[in-house]
Amino acid sequence: MRAQPRASHYINGRFVEDDGGVLLPVIYPATGEQIAALHAATGNIIELAIEAARAAQPAWARLKPGERGRILRKAADILRARNEELSRLETLDTGKAIQETLVADAASAADALEFFGGAVAAFHGDYVDLGGPFAYTRREALGVCVGIGAWNYPIQGAGWKSAPALAMGNAMVFKPSENTPLSALALAEIYTEAGLPDGLFNVVQGYGDIGGSLASHPVVAKVSLTGSVATGKKVLALAGSQMKHATMELGGKSPLIVFDDADVENAVGGAMLGNFYSTGQVCSNGTRVFVQSGIYDRFIDRLTERTKKIRIGDPLDPDTQMGPLINKSQHEKVLTYVDIGRSEGATLHLGGGVPSLQGFEGGFFIEPTIFTGVADDMRIAREEIFGPVMSVLTFEGEDEAVARANDTEFGLSAAVFTRDLPRAHRVIADLQAGSCWINHYNLAPPEIPFGGFKQSGIGRENSLAALQHYSQLKSVYVETGDVVSPY
Ligand code: NAD
């Protein structure tokens, strides 16, 4: 299986190679086989990309917002037309099941490009009446923005960052995760085909050090990172030292609260979506499932039955529901957490093992895993595992559930399953999390803001909030009379 792109980087509207950069092998996580070999950026590549972005941005920012938007909407159409081929590429890059990548990756990037392509024309400054004189505000581009992606949603992440950046008149240099370098290059080609002027969306590859060089480059005005809290702290410090704008989309250990009166099938479906989709590699996952005692037995019975039916295997088979984890080290990390859960005294209710799959012996597969009898202070209930490992905890009362749900350094997401609507809204209002659901889990359409409270990040992606985060506000006072001066 090969997925070798024409070159490692995409700068100023074309593919660029510099084989002086550190080798970056691309591994298909289902087999462990190498499917491409790229090179990390050298200093020269970084300078070329930043300079291309810097040179192209001012003319782009002067276009009418709707004209910029038209190009984004055209790129969205191309993404949709090529969804099958892009989904296959994303499955090779990430190992995620094709039935997921067909609906959640390039398709989600297309949704973002379409949304921002339209919304930007309606995103404008204000008029302020000062009783004669007046003022107005302008939303202006920041300049050159850097996007740094994670490996779980590579093309979606590239789309979610570049769409609001470009719509607002910025240029972007994007560094995909070193684990998943391929699909951002495909997005760059599509932007060019849609008519995006050269230099406005550039892709450079590399490990964390290249992300650091980009984030601290003096020409860069803003950094948007999706990654772990530890990386977020480093990148935010780099940005802060030069007063750059920053958006941080980081990790979580989110609570999903199931009350006695919930529809049990919906609650189970939500908990499975919030733990097993993308083989559990979703930042917003509801990995602490708090179940009220009155529904506990029914919930566990159905959860067990339905989880046992999950089909693990060949990610390119449309019937497969769960692929492997991204790489060997993530595989080892998740299996270590299974051991930690057992040794802490939690009950390994289901899964936890490595399935034997003919033809995929070199892959990084793990069974969907459920721990019951989990206590709040166990590491499996406090630390982000980033794999298909659900911790089920029980509770009696509403106040208790809220207090325990909030007892975490993270604050990305939360959900409540109940038929009691006043309670649903009351509990959601008390939960310390940025992206919440009532009676569902993990939906993130571009119309609504996405991002975290507490250590899970700052700033927001998607919605008009993202346009604010990719722009700066200028206020203009306009005098209509004479200058009153004491001099
Ligand atoms: P990571 O933090 O290891 O890497 C993320 C990106 O940052 C990669 O591109 C990496 O090369 C780069 N990077 C690493 N060190 C850097 C440094 N010092 N300076 C600049 N860049 C650096 O995260 P990951 O393992 O790729 O992804 C998993 C993590 O991302 C999880 O914690 C997950 O919760 C989080 N995540 C968050 C969201 C969200 O929207 N909130 C979405 C997906 C993933």
Side-chain angles (χ1 to χ4, degrees):
M1 204 115 50
R2 293 295 289 163
Q4 182 70 34
R6 298 219 319 264
S8 300
H9 318 287
Y10 193 91
I11 298 171
N12 217 10
R14 56 200 72 91
F15 279 97
V16 178
E17 193 55 88
D18 180 348
D19 49 23
V22 177
L23 198 65
L24 205 151
V26 186
I27 306 294
Y28 181 36
T31 58
E33 149 196 16
Q34 183 171 325
I35 54 170
L38 276 63
H39 293 276
T42 55
N44 183 43
I45 287 289
I46 291 175
E47 288 310 318
L48 281 176
I50 299 267
E51 176 50 26
R54 192 200 58 74
Q57 187 267 332
W60 175 245
R62 279 194 294 272
L63 288 182
K64 220 164 77 169
E67 281 179 54
R68 296 194 297 264
R70 200 176 304 137
I71 292 173
L72 293 187
R73 295 197 313 276
K74 179 144 187 229
D77 291 343
I78 302 174
L79 280 166
R80 290 214 177 89
R82 301 216 185 121
N83 188 42
E84 284 210 15
E85 135 202 359
L86 292 165
S87 302
R88 187 182 150 81
L89 183 68
E90 202 71 318
T91 287
L92 292 177
D93 220 0
T94 60
K96 295 195 296 182
I98 191 104
Q99 66 165 243
E100 290 187 8
T101 52
L102 279 168
V103 295
D105 290 271
S108 169
D111 288 350
L113 267 61
E114 187 172 64
F115 172 78
F116 288 111
V120 69
F123 184 72
H124 41 64
D126 290 325
Y127 166 85
V128 186
D129 184 352
L130 298 170
F134 63 94
Y136 62 92
T137 60
R138 287 169 53 81
R139 277 276 164 196
E140 296 188 357
L142 295 166
V144 176
C145 301
V146 159
I148 303 176
W151 40 259
N152 54 348
Y153 284 91
I155 198 167
Q156 181 198 81
W160 283 20
K161 292 188 193 309
S162 61
L166 294 170
M168 271 320 299
N170 301 285
M172 177 161 270
V173 178
F174 186 80
K175 189 200 84 65
S177 163
E178 57 272 30
N179 292 301
T180 52
L182 301 178
S183 58
L185 293 168
L187 176 64
E189 272 189 292
I190 286 172
Y191 271 135
T192 298
E193 192 179 329
L196 187 73
D198 293 348
L200 290 169
F201 183 71
N202 309 280
V203 177
V204 302
Q205 308 292 352
Y207 296 88
D209 59 328
I210 302 300
S213 301
L214 291 169
S216 53
H217 197 288
V219 166
V220 170
K222 179 193 167 99
V223 186
S224 174
L225 168 83
T226 298
S228 60
V229 171
T231 303
K233 286 179 180 167
K234 288 185 207 157
V235 175
L236 189 59
L238 285 176
S241 70
Q242 293 177 37
M243 211 58 80
K244 296 180 196 303
H245 294 242
T247 295
M248 297 287 134
E249 292 293 346
L250 310 176
K253 190 77 197 177
S254 300
L256 187 158
I257 304 176
V258 181
F259 284 98
D260 282 345
D261 66 346
D263 178 302
V264 76
E265 289 303 324
N266 285 335
V268 166
M272 290 175 73
L273 268 179
N275 278 272
F276 302 143
Y277 209 70
S278 290
T279 319
Q281 303 162 109
V282 184
C283 51
S284 47
N285 268 357
T287 44
R288 290 184 296 144
V289 179
F290 290 94
V291 185
Q292 203 166 16
S293 53
I295 199 176
Y296 182 80
D297 289 342
R298 280 181 294 142
F299 180 87
I300 289 290
D301 285 351
R302 287 299 292 142
L303 175 67
T304 310
E305 280 168 24
R306 288 175 62 177
T307 303
K308 278 183 177 162
K309 289 189 187 145
I310 290 178
R311 291 186 295 270
I312 310 182
D314 178 358
L316 289 168
D317 179 342
D319 287 334
T320 295
Q321 293 171 313
M322 193 186 278
L325 291 160
I326 187 72
N327 59 26
K328 191 163 186 289
S329 74
Q330 189 64 16
H331 195 233
E332 282 166 4
K333 179 181 158 186
V334 175
L335 289 171
T336 302
Y337 270 106
V338 172
D339 287 343
I340 291 171
R342 273 211 209 95
S343 65
E344 284 178 314
T347 305
L348 180 58
H349 177 76
L350 199 70
V354 176
S356 68
L357 299 163
Q358 214 190 343
F360 296 93
E361 292 79 4
F364 312 118
F365 291 89
I366 176 169
E367 294 163 346
T369 302
I370 300 169
F371 275 107
T372 54
V374 178
D376 294 358
D377 59 355
M378 290 180 180
R379 284 182 64 194
I380 57 166
R382 304 205 71 79
E383 298 171 16
E384 186 181 46
I385 299 173
F386 225 55
V389 182
M390 182 192 302
S391 288
V392 182
L393 307 95
T394 54
F395 73 96
E396 300 296 331
E398 180 180 313
D399 291 348
E400 174 204 343
V402 169
R404 290 170 60 196
N406 284 337
D407 181 19
T408 168
E409 61 182 349
F410 299 111
L412 185 51
S413 296
V416 177
F417 281 82
T418 177
R419 288 192 174 97
D420 177 344
L421 283 182
R423 172 158 67 190
H425 296 296
R426 187 169 65 231
V427 169
I428 282 290
D430 281 343
L431 289 173
Q432 297 161 355
S435 299
C436 297
W437 296 273
I438 293 174
N439 293 329
H440 213 306
Y441 209 86
N442 261 351
L443 296 182
E447 293 85 351
I448 61 175
F450 185 82
F453 285 9
K454 292 155 81 176
Q455 304 260 319
S456 292
I458 56 171
R460 290 292 176 270
E461 298 203 292
N462 286 339
S463 78
L464 299 182
L467 293 176
Q468 280 171 18
H469 289 298
Y470 278 102
S471 60
Q472 52 196 339
L473 196 57
K474 179 180 279 179
S475 63
V476 184
Y477 180 104
V478 182
E479 182 56 72
T480 53
D482 293 327
V483 172
V484 178
S485 164
Y487 310 110

